[in-house]
Amino acid sequence: MTDTWLKSLITATPQEGFELAITMSRRGVKYTQPDSATLKKLRPEYADSADGLTAASQVIAINFQTVAAANNYWRS
């Protein structure tokens, strides 16, 4: 992928930070598996998997920790 989409980790609010963490997580999957047909084919396997959903949530949480730290946890 050649597009530059992540200009900064700084966000105005924790909500925006969480949404950025989700975007980062989704982009990570797209970088790992750039073929959209394969992604769509595999989606049913993890969409109904408690382990797969837990793993996805963990990736989002790790990315949110990164964004929160970059934003000094939104404290002044």
Side-chain angles (χ1 to χ4, degrees):
M1 298 191 153
T2 58
D3 63 328
T4 302
W5 64 273
L6 184 59
K7 307 281 188 213
S8 175
L9 293 177
I10 304 304
T11 63
T13 66
Q15 178 70 37
E16 287 179 14
F18 187 71
E19 291 170 11
L20 176 57
I22 292 169
T23 299
M24 291 168 60
S25 301
R26 294 183 73 171
R27 289 284 189 136
V29 170
K30 285 175 70 175
Y31 274 85
T32 304
Q33 178 48 265
D35 180 33
S36 62
T38 300
L39 282 174
K40 288 178 183 173
K41 184 176 94 173
L42 296 174
R43 185 168 290 149
E45 291 181 31
Y46 65 81
D48 294 325
S49 163
D51 290 340
L53 294 172
T54 300
S57 295
Q58 184 177 20
V59 170
I60 293 168
I62 291 167
N63 284 331
F64 184 61
Q65 287 177 327
T66 301
V67 173
N71 285 279
N72 197 25
Y73 302 94
W74 294 276
R75 284 185 236 139
S76 301

Short mmCIF file of all heavy atoms in Angstrom, two decimals:
data_model
loop_
_atom_site.label_atom_id
_atom_site.label_comp_id
_atom_site.label_asym_id
_atom_site.label_seq_id
_atom_site.Cartn_x
_atom_site.Cartn_y
_atom_site.Cartn_z
N MET A 1 0.84 -1.17 0.00
CA MET A 1 0.00 0.00 0.00
C MET A 1 0.89 1.24 0.00
O MET A 1 1.85 1.31 0.76
CB MET A 1 -0.92 -0.01 1.21
CG MET A 1 -1.86 -1.16 1.23
SD MET A 1 -3.11 -0.92 2.49
CE MET A 1 -4.40 -1.87 1.78
N THR A 2 0.52 2.18 -0.80
CA THR A 2 1.35 3.36 -0.94
C THR A 2 0.70 4.61 -0.37
O THR A 2 1.35 5.65 -0.31
CB THR A 2 1.69 3.61 -2.42
OG1 THR A 2 0.48 3.76 -3.14
CG2 THR A 2 2.51 2.48 -2.99
N ASP A 3 -0.56 4.54 0.04
CA ASP A 3 -1.20 5.74 0.56
C ASP A 3 -0.72 6.06 1.97
O ASP A 3 -0.45 5.17 2.77
CB ASP A 3 -2.73 5.60 0.54
CG ASP A 3 -3.25 4.48 1.43
OD1 ASP A 3 -2.53 3.48 1.58
OD2 ASP A 3 -4.36 4.61 1.95
N THR A 4 -0.57 7.34 2.24
CA THR A 4 -0.19 7.78 3.57
C THR A 4 -1.45 8.27 4.26
O THR A 4 -1.98 9.34 3.94
CB THR A 4 0.84 8.93 3.48
OG1 THR A 4 1.97 8.46 2.76
CG2 THR A 4 1.27 9.39 4.86
N TRP A 5 -1.95 7.50 5.18
CA TRP A 5 -3.22 7.83 5.83
C TRP A 5 -3.03 8.20 7.30
O TRP A 5 -3.86 8.89 7.88
CB TRP A 5 -4.22 6.68 5.72
CG TRP A 5 -3.76 5.45 6.42
CD1 TRP A 5 -2.96 4.47 5.91
CD2 TRP A 5 -4.02 5.09 7.76
NE1 TRP A 5 -2.71 3.52 6.85
CE2 TRP A 5 -3.35 3.87 8.02
CE3 TRP A 5 -4.75 5.67 8.79
CZ2 TRP A 5 -3.40 3.22 9.25
CZ3 TRP A 5 -4.80 5.03 10.02
CH2 TRP A 5 -4.13 3.81 10.24
N LEU A 6 -1.96 7.76 7.92
CA LEU A 6 -1.76 8.01 9.35
C LEU A 6 -0.83 9.21 9.51
O LEU A 6 0.39 9.07 9.47
CB LEU A 6 -1.19 6.77 10.04
CG LEU A 6 -1.01 6.87 11.56
CD1 LEU A 6 -2.35 7.17 12.24
CD2 LEU A 6 -0.42 5.59 12.10
N LYS A 7 -1.42 10.37 9.64
CA LYS A 7 -0.65 11.61 9.75
C LYS A 7 -0.17 11.84 11.18
O LYS A 7 0.84 12.46 11.41
CB LYS A 7 -1.48 12.80 9.30
CG LYS A 7 -2.11 12.66 7.93
CD LYS A 7 -1.14 12.93 6.84
CE LYS A 7 -1.89 12.95 5.51
NZ LYS A 7 -1.13 12.47 4.42
N SER A 8 -0.94 11.36 12.16
CA SER A 8 -0.62 11.61 13.56
C SER A 8 -1.40 10.64 14.44
O SER A 8 -2.47 10.17 14.07
CB SER A 8 -1.01 13.05 13.93
OG SER A 8 -0.81 13.28 15.30
N LEU A 9 -0.87 10.38 15.62
CA LEU A 9 -1.60 9.61 16.62
C LEU A 9 -2.37 10.52 17.57
O LEU A 9 -3.11 10.05 18.42
CB LEU A 9 -0.63 8.74 17.44
CG LEU A 9 0.06 7.61 16.70
CD1 LEU A 9 1.05 6.90 17.62
CD2 LEU A 9 -0.94 6.62 16.14
N ILE A 10 -2.22 11.81 17.42
CA ILE A 10 -2.88 12.77 18.30
C ILE A 10 -4.35 12.90 17.93
O ILE A 10 -4.69 13.13 16.76
CB ILE A 10 -2.18 14.15 18.23
CG1 ILE A 10 -0.68 14.00 18.55
CG2 ILE A 10 -2.85 15.15 19.17
CD1 ILE A 10 -0.36 13.36 19.87
N THR A 11 -5.22 12.77 18.92
CA THR A 11 -6.66 12.92 18.73
C THR A 11 -7.20 13.84 19.81
O THR A 11 -6.59 14.01 20.86
CB THR A 11 -7.38 11.55 18.80
OG1 THR A 11 -7.21 10.99 20.11
CG2 THR A 11 -6.88 10.59 17.74
N ALA A 12 -8.36 14.41 19.55
CA ALA A 12 -8.95 15.38 20.48
C ALA A 12 -9.57 14.71 21.70
O ALA A 12 -9.58 15.29 22.80
CB ALA A 12 -9.98 16.23 19.76
N THR A 13 -10.10 13.50 21.53
CA THR A 13 -10.82 12.84 22.61
C THR A 13 -10.47 11.36 22.66
O THR A 13 -10.00 10.79 21.67
CB THR A 13 -12.34 12.96 22.40
OG1 THR A 13 -12.71 12.21 21.22
CG2 THR A 13 -12.79 14.41 22.26
N PRO A 14 -10.74 10.73 23.79
CA PRO A 14 -10.56 9.27 23.84
C PRO A 14 -11.41 8.52 22.82
O PRO A 14 -10.97 7.52 22.26
CB PRO A 14 -10.98 8.92 25.28
CG PRO A 14 -10.73 10.16 26.06
CD PRO A 14 -11.06 11.28 25.11
N GLN A 15 -12.62 9.00 22.55
CA GLN A 15 -13.48 8.36 21.55
C GLN A 15 -12.80 8.37 20.18
O GLN A 15 -12.75 7.35 19.49
CB GLN A 15 -14.84 9.07 21.46
CG GLN A 15 -15.76 8.49 20.40
CD GLN A 15 -16.29 7.12 20.74
OE1 GLN A 15 -16.58 6.84 21.90
NE2 GLN A 15 -16.42 6.25 19.76
N GLU A 16 -12.26 9.54 19.79
CA GLU A 16 -11.53 9.62 18.53
C GLU A 16 -10.31 8.71 18.56
O GLU A 16 -9.96 8.10 17.54
CB GLU A 16 -11.10 11.05 18.25
CG GLU A 16 -12.23 11.97 17.85
CD GLU A 16 -11.74 13.38 17.61
OE1 GLU A 16 -10.52 13.62 17.47
OE2 GLU A 16 -12.61 14.28 17.55
N GLY A 17 -9.67 8.60 19.70
CA GLY A 17 -8.51 7.72 19.84
C GLY A 17 -8.89 6.27 19.66
O GLY A 17 -8.16 5.50 19.01
N PHE A 18 -10.03 5.88 20.21
CA PHE A 18 -10.48 4.50 20.07
C PHE A 18 -10.83 4.20 18.61
O PHE A 18 -10.48 3.13 18.09
CB PHE A 18 -11.69 4.23 20.98
CG PHE A 18 -12.09 2.79 21.01
CD1 PHE A 18 -11.31 1.84 21.64
CD2 PHE A 18 -13.26 2.38 20.39
CE1 PHE A 18 -11.68 0.50 21.65
CE2 PHE A 18 -13.64 1.05 20.40
CZ PHE A 18 -12.84 0.10 21.03
N GLU A 19 -11.47 5.15 17.96
CA GLU A 19 -11.80 4.96 16.54
C GLU A 19 -10.53 4.87 15.69
O GLU A 19 -10.47 4.07 14.75
CB GLU A 19 -12.72 6.08 16.07
CG GLU A 19 -14.11 5.98 16.70
CD GLU A 19 -14.99 7.18 16.47
OE1 GLU A 19 -14.64 8.06 15.66
OE2 GLU A 19 -16.05 7.24 17.13
N LEU A 20 -9.52 5.64 16.04
CA LEU A 20 -8.23 5.54 15.35
C LEU A 20 -7.62 4.16 15.58
O LEU A 20 -7.07 3.55 14.66
CB LEU A 20 -7.28 6.64 15.81
CG LEU A 20 -5.87 6.58 15.22
CD1 LEU A 20 -5.89 6.61 13.69
CD2 LEU A 20 -5.02 7.70 15.79
N ALA A 21 -7.72 3.66 16.81
CA ALA A 21 -7.18 2.32 17.11
C ALA A 21 -7.86 1.25 16.26
O ALA A 21 -7.21 0.32 15.77
CB ALA A 21 -7.34 2.01 18.60
N ILE A 22 -9.17 1.38 16.08
CA ILE A 22 -9.90 0.43 15.23
C ILE A 22 -9.41 0.54 13.79
O ILE A 22 -9.15 -0.48 13.13
CB ILE A 22 -11.41 0.66 15.32
CG1 ILE A 22 -11.91 0.29 16.72
CG2 ILE A 22 -12.16 -0.14 14.25
CD1 ILE A 22 -13.34 0.72 17.00
N THR A 23 -9.27 1.76 13.31
CA THR A 23 -8.78 1.97 11.94
C THR A 23 -7.38 1.38 11.78
O THR A 23 -7.10 0.71 10.77
CB THR A 23 -8.76 3.47 11.60
OG1 THR A 23 -10.11 3.96 11.69
CG2 THR A 23 -8.23 3.71 10.20
N MET A 24 -6.52 1.61 12.75
CA MET A 24 -5.16 1.05 12.69
C MET A 24 -5.22 -0.47 12.62
O MET A 24 -4.47 -1.10 11.85
CB MET A 24 -4.35 1.49 13.91
CG MET A 24 -4.02 2.97 13.91
SD MET A 24 -3.38 3.56 15.50
CE MET A 24 -1.92 2.55 15.69
N SER A 25 -6.09 -1.06 13.41
CA SER A 25 -6.21 -2.52 13.44
C SER A 25 -6.70 -3.06 12.10
O SER A 25 -6.17 -4.04 11.57
CB SER A 25 -7.15 -2.94 14.56
OG SER A 25 -6.66 -2.47 15.80
N ARG A 26 -7.70 -2.41 11.54
CA ARG A 26 -8.23 -2.83 10.24
C ARG A 26 -7.20 -2.66 9.14
O ARG A 26 -7.06 -3.51 8.26
CB ARG A 26 -9.50 -2.07 9.92
CG ARG A 26 -10.64 -2.40 10.90
CD ARG A 26 -11.90 -1.70 10.54
NE ARG A 26 -12.43 -2.36 9.36
CZ ARG A 26 -13.61 -2.13 8.84
NH1 ARG A 26 -14.40 -1.23 9.38
NH2 ARG A 26 -14.02 -2.76 7.78
N ARG A 27 -6.48 -1.55 9.19
CA ARG A 27 -5.43 -1.32 8.19
C ARG A 27 -4.33 -2.36 8.31
O ARG A 27 -3.76 -2.79 7.30
CB ARG A 27 -4.84 0.08 8.35
CG ARG A 27 -5.76 1.19 7.94
CD ARG A 27 -5.81 1.26 6.41
NE ARG A 27 -6.52 2.44 5.97
CZ ARG A 27 -6.13 3.23 5.01
NH1 ARG A 27 -5.00 3.01 4.38
NH2 ARG A 27 -6.85 4.27 4.66
N GLY A 28 -4.03 -2.77 9.53
CA GLY A 28 -3.02 -3.81 9.72
C GLY A 28 -3.41 -5.10 9.03
O GLY A 28 -2.56 -5.76 8.41
N VAL A 29 -4.68 -5.45 9.10
CA VAL A 29 -5.16 -6.65 8.41
C VAL A 29 -5.03 -6.48 6.90
O VAL A 29 -4.57 -7.38 6.20
CB VAL A 29 -6.63 -6.96 8.81
CG1 VAL A 29 -7.21 -8.06 7.92
CG2 VAL A 29 -6.70 -7.35 10.27
N LYS A 30 -5.38 -5.30 6.41
CA LYS A 30 -5.30 -5.05 4.95
C LYS A 30 -3.85 -5.09 4.46
O LYS A 30 -3.58 -5.55 3.35
CB LYS A 30 -5.92 -3.71 4.61
CG LYS A 30 -7.44 -3.73 4.65
CD LYS A 30 -8.04 -2.37 4.43
CE LYS A 30 -7.85 -1.91 3.01
NZ LYS A 30 -8.54 -0.63 2.74
N TYR A 31 -2.92 -4.62 5.28
CA TYR A 31 -1.51 -4.68 4.90
C TYR A 31 -1.03 -6.13 4.89
O TYR A 31 -0.24 -6.52 4.03
CB TYR A 31 -0.65 -3.87 5.87
CG TYR A 31 -0.53 -2.41 5.53
CD1 TYR A 31 -1.49 -1.51 5.95
CD2 TYR A 31 0.55 -1.93 4.79
CE1 TYR A 31 -1.40 -0.17 5.65
CE2 TYR A 31 0.66 -0.58 4.50
CZ TYR A 31 -0.31 0.29 4.92
OH TYR A 31 -0.21 1.63 4.62
N THR A 32 -1.51 -6.91 5.87
CA THR A 32 -1.08 -8.31 5.97
C THR A 32 -1.67 -9.16 4.86
O THR A 32 -1.00 -10.03 4.31
CB THR A 32 -1.51 -8.88 7.34
OG1 THR A 32 -0.96 -8.04 8.37
CG2 THR A 32 -1.01 -10.28 7.54
N GLN A 33 -2.96 -8.90 4.52
CA GLN A 33 -3.63 -9.66 3.46
C GLN A 33 -4.28 -8.65 2.50
O GLN A 33 -5.43 -8.27 2.68
CB GLN A 33 -4.67 -10.60 4.04
CG GLN A 33 -5.47 -11.39 3.01
CD GLN A 33 -4.62 -12.05 1.95
OE1 GLN A 33 -4.44 -11.49 0.88
NE2 GLN A 33 -4.09 -13.21 2.24
N PRO A 34 -3.53 -8.19 1.50
CA PRO A 34 -4.05 -7.15 0.62
C PRO A 34 -5.12 -7.63 -0.37
O PRO A 34 -5.79 -6.80 -0.98
CB PRO A 34 -2.80 -6.66 -0.11
CG PRO A 34 -1.84 -7.78 -0.04
CD PRO A 34 -2.14 -8.51 1.23
N ASP A 35 -5.30 -8.93 -0.52
CA ASP A 35 -6.30 -9.44 -1.46
C ASP A 35 -7.68 -9.41 -0.82
O ASP A 35 -7.99 -10.21 0.08
CB ASP A 35 -5.92 -10.86 -1.89
CG ASP A 35 -6.92 -11.45 -2.86
OD1 ASP A 35 -7.50 -10.69 -3.67
OD2 ASP A 35 -7.12 -12.68 -2.82
N SER A 36 -8.53 -8.50 -1.26
CA SER A 36 -9.85 -8.34 -0.64
C SER A 36 -10.73 -9.58 -0.83
O SER A 36 -11.55 -9.89 0.03
CB SER A 36 -10.56 -7.10 -1.17
OG SER A 36 -10.77 -7.20 -2.56
N ALA A 37 -10.57 -10.29 -1.93
CA ALA A 37 -11.36 -11.51 -2.14
C ALA A 37 -11.02 -12.56 -1.07
O ALA A 37 -11.91 -13.23 -0.54
CB ALA A 37 -11.11 -12.07 -3.53
N THR A 38 -9.75 -12.68 -0.75
CA THR A 38 -9.34 -13.62 0.29
C THR A 38 -9.88 -13.18 1.65
O THR A 38 -10.37 -14.00 2.42
CB THR A 38 -7.80 -13.75 0.34
OG1 THR A 38 -7.35 -14.21 -0.93
CG2 THR A 38 -7.36 -14.72 1.42
N LEU A 39 -9.80 -11.89 1.93
CA LEU A 39 -10.34 -11.38 3.20
C LEU A 39 -11.83 -11.70 3.34
O LEU A 39 -12.27 -12.16 4.39
CB LEU A 39 -10.14 -9.87 3.30
CG LEU A 39 -8.75 -9.39 3.65
CD1 LEU A 39 -8.68 -7.87 3.56
CD2 LEU A 39 -8.36 -9.85 5.04
N LYS A 40 -12.59 -11.46 2.28
CA LYS A 40 -14.03 -11.73 2.32
C LYS A 40 -14.31 -13.23 2.46
O LYS A 40 -15.25 -13.63 3.13
CB LYS A 40 -14.71 -11.16 1.09
CG LYS A 40 -14.77 -9.65 1.14
CD LYS A 40 -15.40 -9.07 -0.10
CE LYS A 40 -15.36 -7.55 0.01
NZ LYS A 40 -15.78 -6.88 -1.19
N LYS A 41 -13.47 -14.05 1.84
CA LYS A 41 -13.64 -15.50 1.92
C LYS A 41 -13.38 -16.00 3.34
O LYS A 41 -14.08 -16.89 3.83
CB LYS A 41 -12.69 -16.19 0.94
CG LYS A 41 -12.86 -17.70 0.88
CD LYS A 41 -11.96 -18.31 -0.17
CE LYS A 41 -10.67 -18.73 0.49
NZ LYS A 41 -9.77 -19.47 -0.37
N LEU A 42 -12.41 -15.41 4.00
CA LEU A 42 -12.04 -15.85 5.35
C LEU A 42 -12.91 -15.27 6.45
O LEU A 42 -12.94 -15.80 7.56
CB LEU A 42 -10.58 -15.49 5.63
CG LEU A 42 -9.53 -16.18 4.76
CD1 LEU A 42 -8.15 -15.61 5.04
CD2 LEU A 42 -9.56 -17.69 4.98
N ARG A 43 -13.61 -14.18 6.17
CA ARG A 43 -14.39 -13.49 7.20
C ARG A 43 -15.35 -14.41 7.96
O ARG A 43 -15.42 -14.33 9.20
CB ARG A 43 -15.14 -12.31 6.60
CG ARG A 43 -15.88 -11.50 7.66
CD ARG A 43 -16.39 -10.19 7.14
NE ARG A 43 -15.25 -9.32 6.88
CZ ARG A 43 -15.22 -8.39 5.94
NH1 ARG A 43 -16.25 -8.21 5.16
NH2 ARG A 43 -14.18 -7.63 5.77
N PRO A 44 -16.11 -15.29 7.31
CA PRO A 44 -17.02 -16.16 8.07
C PRO A 44 -16.30 -17.04 9.10
O PRO A 44 -16.88 -17.37 10.14
CB PRO A 44 -17.70 -17.01 7.00
CG PRO A 44 -17.59 -16.21 5.75
CD PRO A 44 -16.29 -15.48 5.86
N GLU A 45 -15.06 -17.39 8.82
CA GLU A 45 -14.32 -18.24 9.75
C GLU A 45 -14.04 -17.54 11.07
O GLU A 45 -14.07 -18.16 12.13
CB GLU A 45 -13.01 -18.72 9.12
CG GLU A 45 -13.21 -19.68 7.98
CD GLU A 45 -11.89 -20.15 7.40
OE1 GLU A 45 -10.90 -20.22 8.13
OE2 GLU A 45 -11.87 -20.43 6.19
N TYR A 46 -13.73 -16.25 11.02
CA TYR A 46 -13.43 -15.57 12.28
C TYR A 46 -14.62 -14.78 12.82
O TYR A 46 -14.67 -14.46 14.00
CB TYR A 46 -12.20 -14.67 12.14
CG TYR A 46 -12.31 -13.50 11.20
CD1 TYR A 46 -12.93 -12.33 11.59
CD2 TYR A 46 -11.77 -13.57 9.92
CE1 TYR A 46 -13.02 -11.25 10.71
CE2 TYR A 46 -11.85 -12.49 9.05
CZ TYR A 46 -12.48 -11.34 9.47
OH TYR A 46 -12.56 -10.28 8.60
N ALA A 47 -15.60 -14.48 11.99
CA ALA A 47 -16.75 -13.71 12.45
C ALA A 47 -17.58 -14.46 13.48
O ALA A 47 -18.23 -13.85 14.33
CB ALA A 47 -17.63 -13.31 11.26
N ASP A 48 -17.57 -15.77 13.39
CA ASP A 48 -18.33 -16.60 14.34
C ASP A 48 -17.43 -17.30 15.34
O ASP A 48 -17.86 -18.21 16.03
CB ASP A 48 -19.16 -17.64 13.58
CG ASP A 48 -20.25 -16.99 12.74
OD1 ASP A 48 -20.82 -15.96 13.18
OD2 ASP A 48 -20.54 -17.50 11.65
N SER A 49 -16.19 -16.86 15.43
CA SER A 49 -15.22 -17.50 16.32
C SER A 49 -14.96 -16.63 17.54
O SER A 49 -14.48 -15.49 17.41
CB SER A 49 -13.90 -17.72 15.57
OG SER A 49 -12.84 -17.98 16.47
N ALA A 50 -15.28 -17.14 18.72
CA ALA A 50 -15.02 -16.39 19.95
C ALA A 50 -13.53 -16.08 20.07
O ALA A 50 -13.15 -14.97 20.45
CB ALA A 50 -15.49 -17.18 21.16
N ASP A 51 -12.69 -17.04 19.72
CA ASP A 51 -11.24 -16.80 19.80
C ASP A 51 -10.80 -15.72 18.81
O ASP A 51 -9.98 -14.87 19.14
CB ASP A 51 -10.46 -18.10 19.52
CG ASP A 51 -10.60 -19.11 20.64
OD1 ASP A 51 -10.95 -18.71 21.77
OD2 ASP A 51 -10.34 -20.30 20.38
N GLY A 52 -11.34 -15.76 17.60
CA GLY A 52 -11.00 -14.76 16.59
C GLY A 52 -11.44 -13.38 16.99
O GLY A 52 -10.70 -12.39 16.83
N LEU A 53 -12.64 -13.27 17.54
CA LEU A 53 -13.15 -11.96 17.97
C LEU A 53 -12.38 -11.45 19.18
O LEU A 53 -12.11 -10.24 19.29
CB LEU A 53 -14.65 -12.06 18.27
CG LEU A 53 -15.51 -12.36 17.05
CD1 LEU A 53 -16.95 -12.63 17.46
CD2 LEU A 53 -15.44 -11.23 16.04
N THR A 54 -12.00 -12.35 20.07
CA THR A 54 -11.19 -11.95 21.22
C THR A 54 -9.83 -11.46 20.77
O THR A 54 -9.33 -10.44 21.26
CB THR A 54 -11.04 -13.12 22.22
OG1 THR A 54 -12.35 -13.49 22.68
CG2 THR A 54 -10.18 -12.74 23.40
N ALA A 55 -9.23 -12.14 19.81
CA ALA A 55 -7.93 -11.72 19.28
C ALA A 55 -8.03 -10.36 18.60
O ALA A 55 -7.16 -9.49 18.78
CB ALA A 55 -7.39 -12.77 18.30
N ALA A 56 -9.10 -10.13 17.86
CA ALA A 56 -9.30 -8.83 17.20
C ALA A 56 -9.45 -7.73 18.25
O ALA A 56 -8.88 -6.64 18.11
CB ALA A 56 -10.52 -8.88 16.29
N SER A 57 -10.20 -8.02 19.30
CA SER A 57 -10.37 -7.04 20.37
C SER A 57 -9.05 -6.73 21.06
O SER A 57 -8.78 -5.59 21.44
CB SER A 57 -11.38 -7.55 21.40
OG SER A 57 -12.65 -7.65 20.82
N GLN A 58 -8.21 -7.74 21.20
CA GLN A 58 -6.91 -7.54 21.83
C GLN A 58 -6.02 -6.63 20.97
O GLN A 58 -5.35 -5.74 21.50
CB GLN A 58 -6.22 -8.88 22.06
CG GLN A 58 -4.90 -8.75 22.79
CD GLN A 58 -4.27 -10.10 23.06
OE1 GLN A 58 -4.58 -11.10 22.42
NE2 GLN A 58 -3.37 -10.13 24.02
N VAL A 59 -6.04 -6.82 19.68
CA VAL A 59 -5.25 -5.96 18.78
C VAL A 59 -5.74 -4.51 18.88
O VAL A 59 -4.94 -3.58 18.97
CB VAL A 59 -5.33 -6.47 17.33
CG1 VAL A 59 -4.72 -5.47 16.36
CG2 VAL A 59 -4.64 -7.82 17.21
N ILE A 60 -7.06 -4.33 18.91
CA ILE A 60 -7.61 -2.97 19.05
C ILE A 60 -7.17 -2.37 20.38
O ILE A 60 -6.76 -1.20 20.44
CB ILE A 60 -9.14 -2.99 18.92
CG1 ILE A 60 -9.56 -3.36 17.50
CG2 ILE A 60 -9.74 -1.63 19.33
CD1 ILE A 60 -11.03 -3.69 17.33
N ALA A 61 -7.22 -3.15 21.45
CA ALA A 61 -6.83 -2.65 22.76
C ALA A 61 -5.35 -2.24 22.79
O ALA A 61 -5.00 -1.20 23.36
CB ALA A 61 -7.11 -3.70 23.83
N ILE A 62 -4.50 -3.02 22.17
CA ILE A 62 -3.08 -2.68 22.11
C ILE A 62 -2.88 -1.39 21.33
O ILE A 62 -2.12 -0.50 21.75
CB ILE A 62 -2.27 -3.84 21.51
CG1 ILE A 62 -2.25 -5.02 22.49
CG2 ILE A 62 -0.85 -3.40 21.16
CD1 ILE A 62 -1.77 -6.32 21.88
N ASN A 63 -3.57 -1.25 20.20
CA ASN A 63 -3.46 -0.02 19.42
C ASN A 63 -4.01 1.17 20.21
O ASN A 63 -3.47 2.27 20.15
CB ASN A 63 -4.16 -0.16 18.08
CG ASN A 63 -3.34 -0.98 17.10
OD1 ASN A 63 -2.13 -0.99 17.16
ND2 ASN A 63 -4.01 -1.66 16.19
N PHE A 64 -5.09 0.96 20.98
CA PHE A 64 -5.64 2.04 21.78
C PHE A 64 -4.65 2.46 22.87
O PHE A 64 -4.51 3.66 23.16
CB PHE A 64 -6.98 1.65 22.39
CG PHE A 64 -7.65 2.76 23.15
CD1 PHE A 64 -8.01 3.93 22.51
CD2 PHE A 64 -7.92 2.63 24.50
CE1 PHE A 64 -8.62 4.98 23.21
CE2 PHE A 64 -8.53 3.66 25.19
CZ PHE A 64 -8.88 4.83 24.55
N GLN A 65 -3.95 1.51 23.46
CA GLN A 65 -2.91 1.86 24.45
C GLN A 65 -1.86 2.76 23.81
O GLN A 65 -1.41 3.73 24.44
CB GLN A 65 -2.23 0.60 24.98
CG GLN A 65 -3.07 -0.20 25.93
CD GLN A 65 -2.36 -1.48 26.35
OE1 GLN A 65 -1.61 -2.08 25.59
NE2 GLN A 65 -2.61 -1.91 27.57
N THR A 66 -1.47 2.45 22.60
CA THR A 66 -0.47 3.25 21.89
C THR A 66 -0.98 4.67 21.65
O THR A 66 -0.28 5.65 21.91
CB THR A 66 -0.10 2.59 20.55
OG1 THR A 66 0.41 1.28 20.82
CG2 THR A 66 0.92 3.40 19.78
N VAL A 67 -2.22 4.78 21.16
CA VAL A 67 -2.80 6.10 20.89
C VAL A 67 -2.98 6.88 22.19
O VAL A 67 -2.66 8.07 22.26
CB VAL A 67 -4.14 5.96 20.13
CG1 VAL A 67 -4.84 7.30 19.99
CG2 VAL A 67 -3.92 5.33 18.76
N ALA A 68 -3.44 6.21 23.23
CA ALA A 68 -3.65 6.88 24.53
C ALA A 68 -2.33 7.42 25.07
O ALA A 68 -2.26 8.55 25.56
CB ALA A 68 -4.29 5.93 25.51
N ALA A 69 -1.28 6.64 24.97
CA ALA A 69 0.03 7.09 25.45
C ALA A 69 0.51 8.29 24.62
O ALA A 69 1.05 9.25 25.18
CB ALA A 69 1.03 5.95 25.38
N ALA A 70 0.30 8.26 23.33
CA ALA A 70 0.71 9.37 22.47
C ALA A 70 -0.05 10.65 22.81
O ALA A 70 0.46 11.75 22.61
CB ALA A 70 0.48 9.01 20.99
N ASN A 71 -1.24 10.50 23.35
CA ASN A 71 -2.08 11.64 23.73
C ASN A 71 -1.97 11.97 25.21
O ASN A 71 -2.83 12.68 25.74
CB ASN A 71 -3.53 11.36 23.33
CG ASN A 71 -3.74 11.51 21.85
OD1 ASN A 71 -3.90 12.60 21.37
ND2 ASN A 71 -3.72 10.39 21.13
N ASN A 72 -0.95 11.43 25.86
CA ASN A 72 -0.75 11.65 27.29
C ASN A 72 -2.04 11.34 28.06
O ASN A 72 -2.40 12.05 28.99
CB ASN A 72 -0.27 13.07 27.56
CG ASN A 72 0.34 13.22 28.94
OD1 ASN A 72 0.83 12.25 29.52
ND2 ASN A 72 0.28 14.41 29.49
N TYR A 73 -2.74 10.33 27.60
CA TYR A 73 -3.98 9.86 28.22
C TYR A 73 -5.02 10.97 28.35
O TYR A 73 -5.85 10.98 29.23
CB TYR A 73 -3.68 9.18 29.56
CG TYR A 73 -2.73 8.03 29.37
CD1 TYR A 73 -1.36 8.21 29.54
CD2 TYR A 73 -3.18 6.78 28.98
CE1 TYR A 73 -0.46 7.16 29.33
CE2 TYR A 73 -2.30 5.73 28.77
CZ TYR A 73 -0.94 5.93 28.95
OH TYR A 73 -0.07 4.90 28.72
N TRP A 74 -4.96 11.94 27.45
CA TRP A 74 -5.90 13.05 27.35
C TRP A 74 -5.95 13.89 28.63
O TRP A 74 -6.91 14.56 28.92
CB TRP A 74 -7.30 12.56 26.95
CG TRP A 74 -7.25 12.02 25.56
CD1 TRP A 74 -7.33 12.74 24.42
CD2 TRP A 74 -7.08 10.66 25.15
NE1 TRP A 74 -7.22 11.92 23.32
CE2 TRP A 74 -7.07 10.62 23.74
CE3 TRP A 74 -6.93 9.46 25.84
CZ2 TRP A 74 -6.91 9.46 23.02
CZ3 TRP A 74 -6.77 8.30 25.12
CH2 TRP A 74 -6.77 8.31 23.72
N ARG A 75 -4.85 13.85 29.39
CA ARG A 75 -4.73 14.71 30.59
C ARG A 75 -3.97 15.97 30.22
O ARG A 75 -3.04 15.94 29.42
CB ARG A 75 -3.98 13.98 31.70
CG ARG A 75 -4.86 12.94 32.37
CD ARG A 75 -4.12 12.35 33.54
NE ARG A 75 -4.11 10.90 33.30
CZ ARG A 75 -3.09 10.12 33.53
NH1 ARG A 75 -1.98 10.59 34.03
NH2 ARG A 75 -3.17 8.83 33.29
N SER A 76 -4.35 17.05 30.84
CA SER A 76 -3.64 18.32 30.60
C SER A 76 -2.34 18.36 31.38
O SER A 76 -2.19 17.85 32.42
CB SER A 76 -4.51 19.49 31.03
OG SER A 76 -5.71 19.49 30.31
#
